[in-house]
Amino acid sequence: MKATGIVRRVDDLGRVVIPKELRRTLRIREGDPMEIYTEQGGALVFRKYSPLGAWEELAEPLCRALWENTGFPAAICDRDRILAAAGPGQQLLTDRVPARGLLRRLEAGEPYCAAGRGLPIPLAEGGEALLGAAVPVPVGGVLLGGLLLGAEPARNRWPGDGELRLLKLLADFLRAHAEA
């Protein structure tokens, strides 16, 4: 755990204000759910809650299965980070921040298939892997994250309709489990 040197007092209702600088750095927005737990030694930990983040054990095998069955790099992200990835360059994607263009596509609420059209969108901020297809996972009108497939423009390989249908099927599965 990293010390910040910032001290805050608990008010009479038991609230603690998270400093603006930390909220900006950690991308905590008003209304974001926070998970609270304790660690050995008495540490109290606040962590952004992500329903998809709770499925990290499922995310890795799901990405691996997508990659093995489509031949395209696969990833699952929430709004703040790429939870898991499989395929070439997977270690360069996992735990990275999703690119702004990718988040805009997911927030639009519609499945996206690049199919070689327009400017390529990176999967992660500052990354080289490019987005080929994306399907959002919304629950109750709130975007939880998305299922992603990469593209290989150098080899003129882009996910098509079949891959997009597969992503939609898996997104429906994740959505149903999040609603349960």
Side-chain angles (χ1 to χ4, degrees), residues 10-161:
V10 177
D11 72 9
D12 60 336
L13 295 176
R15 298 177 295 198
V16 176
V17 175
I18 301 171
K20 186 177 186 175
E21 302 81 29
L22 289 177
R23 291 193 316 262
R24 187 179 313 126
T25 301
L26 298 173
R27 300 175 67 171
I28 298 171
R29 295 175 289 275
E30 182 179 336
D32 282 350
M34 301 296 291
E35 183 177 17
I36 305 167
Y37 60 94
T38 59
E39 289 184 341
Q40 287 184 338
L44 183 64
V45 178
F46 286 77
R47 180 172 135 179
K48 277 185 75 171
Y49 174 73
S50 167
L52 291 182
W55 299 344
E56 286 191 59
E57 285 184 26
L58 175 66
E60 279 191 42
L62 187 59
C63 286
R64 201 172 326 105
L66 276 169
W67 174 52
E68 290 170 357
N69 285 283
T70 66
F72 292 101
I76 295 177
C77 72
D78 64 15
R79 295 173 54 114
D80 297 306
R81 69 185 183 98
I82 297 175
L83 303 171
Q90 72 185 45
Q91 67 280 3
L92 299 175
L93 286 175
T94 304
D95 286 326
R96 299 277 305 274
V97 174
R100 286 186 196 103
L102 165 60
L103 289 174
R104 279 194 296 275
R105 291 284 182 191
L106 293 174
E107 287 167 353
E110 295 294 323
Y112 169 75
C113 191
R117 296 173 293 207
L119 294 174
I121 299 170
L123 285 169
E125 285 294 330
E128 294 182 16
L130 298 177
L131 178 64
V135 174
V137 181
V139 173
V142 175
L143 177 67
L144 297 184
L147 294 165
L148 319 168
L149 288 178
E152 298 175 356
R155 294 176 52 202
N156 200 26
R157 281 187 24 98
W158 302 88
D161 289 339

